[in-house]
Amino acid sequence: MNLLPKALHGDATLEVIVAVAVQGVLAHVPVVRAAGHTSYCRIIIGPLTRWALARENARHGRIWRVLQAVRLSLARRCQRDGVHGA
């Protein structure tokens, strides 16, 4: 999760983060555990969920499906905002 370090440490420098880690400060990190695997988790709600298909297809290298998902996401945003394209 790219935002995990930011959520845990804010804008702290690497030196400050290491100094705090040595002190043993604990922080709650939400995780899900299943079948021997651990995954950091957060809930994504709202407009960002429209981009889930594009993100997942990009992870799997499906470029054509990424383009289709981006088109769909943009179309849904425009419909919601009352903007209509030609």
Side-chain angles (χ1 to χ4, degrees), residues 44-57:
I44 299 174
I45 58 175
L48 287 177
T49 58
R50 293 186 183 108
W51 295 94
L53 285 175
R55 181 190 67 236
E56 292 304 315
N57 283 310

Side-chain angles (χ1 to χ4, degrees), residues 30-67:
V31 298
V32 173
R33 292 192 174 107
H37 299 280
T38 302
S39 177
Y40 298 110
C41 64
R42 292 282 186 192
I43 296 175
I44 299 174
I45 58 175
L48 287 177
T49 58
R50 293 186 183 108
W51 295 94
L53 285 175
R55 181 190 67 236
E56 292 304 315
N57 283 310
R59 285 183 181 175
H60 296 286
R62 301 177 191 137
I63 302 305
W64 178 247
R65 288 188 180 179
V66 170
L67 296 174

